[in-house]
Amino acid sequence: MQWTLVIPLKPLARAKSRLSDTAGDGLRPGLALAFAQDTVAAALACRAVGDVAVVTDDPLAGRELSALGARIVPDEPRGGLNAALAYGAGVVRAAHPRRAVAALNADLPALRPLELARVLDAVAEFPRAFLPDAAAIGTTLLAVREGQELRPAFGTDSRARHRASGAVELCLSGVDSVRQDVDTGEDLRAALALGVGPRTASFSAGLLIRGF
């Protein structure tokens, strides 16, 4: 089964605010873009992924991610993360009504294509399923097969909310790179320990020099 991934990305100037103790306002936009670039590049290299749609209004992110091969969908609702995901899924389905769709976080800089393929193969067994994040509180991936609505509930305690909505929770080992999103400095250290993509590695080198 081939999947379309929908990846939301807020304007870079407002992205990753919880990393302010690790990267100042002048660095966070670049770090957020590096995360998204490594996430999209790894996703497009996954055998189970047919295409990637990034929902964003940020012009720089749009140019950079389009250059990697992503389709850019303007965030017309401008109503936050879940509205962007629902809209992006709708745009995908308008063109391909029977397409299997998965929402994926944009902050997975350690993402490995083989591990993502394992997750997508597993979610294909269910009409609607999700993968919890490394902290076991949030969600990094929510997937639906053809004919199913995405109904995203990302945000605070999204693991519990997705379970309550009827989505099947995946319990997979060996897919740490798909679970390790980055919201805090501690998360970034964990991602670096797994091994991040080249853009995040290059950008983070400057943070390490500064004593991160």
Side-chain angles (χ1 to χ4, degrees):
M1 179 183 293
Q2 289 285 289
W3 293 81
T4 291
L5 301 188
V6 179
I7 298 178
L9 182 63
K10 66 175 61 174
L12 296 174
R14 295 192 285 107
K16 297 292 126 191
S17 59
R18 291 171 60 191
L19 278 170
S20 58
D21 60 341
T22 301
D25 290 346
L27 297 176
R28 282 189 293 106
L31 190 58
L33 177 58
F35 292 167
Q37 288 173 303
D38 285 335
T39 300
V40 167
L44 286 168
C46 176
R47 61 167 172 78
V49 175
D51 62 328
V52 171
V54 177
V55 184
T56 187
D57 276 338
D58 191 284
L60 174 60
R63 290 194 300 271
E64 294 295 329
L65 299 175
S66 176
L68 292 176
R71 172 185 180 184
I72 306 303
V73 177
D75 184 8
E76 291 190 8
R78 297 183 180 176
L81 175 61
N82 292 310
L85 284 170
Y87 177 73
V91 169
V92 169
R93 287 274 176 80
H96 305 283
R98 297 186 61 81
R99 183 65 57 88
V101 175
L104 184 72
N105 289 6
D107 58 350
L108 297 168
L111 186 65
R112 291 176 171 80
L114 289 177
E115 293 184 12
L116 177 58
R118 282 194 61 211
V119 173
L120 292 172
D121 287 346
V123 294
E125 300 298 319
F126 307 99
R128 182 167 172 265
F130 74 97
L131 184 74
D133 66 6
I137 297 172
T139 303
T140 57
L141 180 142
L142 172 70
V144 290
R145 292 196 324 214
E146 64 278 3
Q148 302 293 319
E149 291 186 22
L150 190 62
R151 293 185 289 136
F154 286 82
T156 304
D157 297 326
S158 65
R159 178 191 183 193
R161 289 190 287 144
H162 282 133
R163 288 177 66 179
S165 73
V168 174
E169 179 178 350
L170 295 182
C171 298
L172 292 177
S173 61
V175 294
D176 293 346
S177 76
V178 196
R179 299 184 63 194
Q180 187 59 66
D181 55 353
V182 177
D183 290 317
T184 66
E186 183 178 349
D187 293 336
L188 180 54
R189 291 184 181 91
L192 289 169
L194 287 174
V196 296
R199 298 162 187 85
T200 302
S202 177
F203 202 98
S204 297
L207 298 179
L208 293 171
I209 291 172
R210 292 174 174 85
F212 163 62

